[in-house]
Amino acid sequence: MRAGRSTVLTAPLLYNSSCWHPRIYPNGLLFRITVSGITESAFVSLLTVAILVANLMVIVTINSDRYTKFIHPQPRYLVTSLACNDLAIGLLVTPLAAFSALVHCWPYSEIVCQIQALLRAALPQQNAMILVFMAVDRYTCMLHPDKYHKHSSKKGCMLVLSLTLVGSLTAFGAAVIRRGGYFYNGNGLMACEPFYQRPSLRILAACLFYFPTTMALMYFYGSALHVDRLRHRQQINICAVLVQPMLPNSAGKNALDEASDRLASKELRQSIRTTRAMGAVALGFIVAVTPWTIQEVVTACTGTKVRIFVFIHNMILALIF
């Protein structure tokens, strides 16, 4: 049935989707295993392994002694935090979905469903905020490098990451902690998700997740890369002010200029490489989340969804973010 704007929805009881419900478990769970269930469970298991391996590689590589000299500390902390969030999803969300996808019911307790629904909502939201902060970081570094290197610090970065995590957990915890604020979604990832009582709230949540993040990413990265193009055309150097204090006071004028140019050029190339890499991550976010946002709006308006499309897209979304 189509859900109108003023329709108040009620979350389906988790007990009705539990594997231990009498209607589901009359002959044992083995009788519920099908070929499609085995396929979906295997896909979720492979997805879990891919998430764990990929994000562990990112964390180890980007924090290794060999790589730290090619990236500034602040973007390194942000990328590490982004990978840690995805690693948490690979440890606490997708592994649990492997067995539920196999038997097409929820085999765990209600508190596990509640926690999973909270993580499914809060961690992607924090990822979106981290991506925005990464874009602001690159924008400031490319346009105002003197201010960037003067004010960027590990403590400030950790403070921002902590506030975004606490804010995301608090906002979605207030919605999920109440009874009826979560449900087991038998489509897609076969996991628990937050439940919105009104279709308008679901549309609002999807739009607030998508549009501010996308607009910020496009503006900040677009501005940073535009400055890079102008720099190549006009051959200007915006980083020379950073390296002059690092040179000996006794150096001659020519040596000062040459050393300044070399260090500034190295600093500039490092900033450009980091900006382009983070811009590629932001582009991947936009490409992955755009179909999801459209799906959420259409589902909220019509009350219907195509199960196979939801399953495949949620797999890709979980793999990327």
Side-chain angles (χ1 to χ4, degrees), residues 125 148 179 225 250 315 321:
Q125 181 62 52
Y148 174 80
R179 193 172 185 86
L225 295 176
S250 59
M315 296 300 103
F321 299 104

Side-chain angles (χ1 to χ4, degrees), residues 69 261-271 273:
K69 59 184 178 181
D261 290 341
R262 286 195 300 269
L263 291 176
S265 179
K266 180 180 178 181
E267 175 75 19
L268 182 60
R269 289 195 301 270
Q270 178 178 334
S271 298
R273 285 195 299 264

Side-chain angles (χ1 to χ4, degrees), residues 231 236-244 246 257-271:
R231 184 182 294 112
I236 61 175
N237 188 354
I238 66 172
C239 294
V241 67
L242 301 176
V243 299
Q244 290 180 359
M246 302 167 55
D257 292 340
E258 292 177 2
S260 176
D261 290 341
R262 286 195 300 269
L263 291 176
S265 179
K266 180 180 178 181
E267 175 75 19
L268 182 60
R269 289 195 301 270
Q270 178 178 334
S271 298

Side-chain angles (χ1 to χ4, degrees), residues 37-55 90 94-99 101 189 311 315-316 318-320:
I38 294 174
T39 303
E40 293 177 0
S41 180
F43 196 85
V44 173
S45 300
L46 291 175
L47 175 68
T48 301
V49 174
I51 292 174
L52 296 177
V53 172
N55 287 284
T94 53
L96 301 181
F99 185 63
L189 196 58
F311 179 79
M315 296 300 103
I316 299 174
L319 179 61
I320 299 177

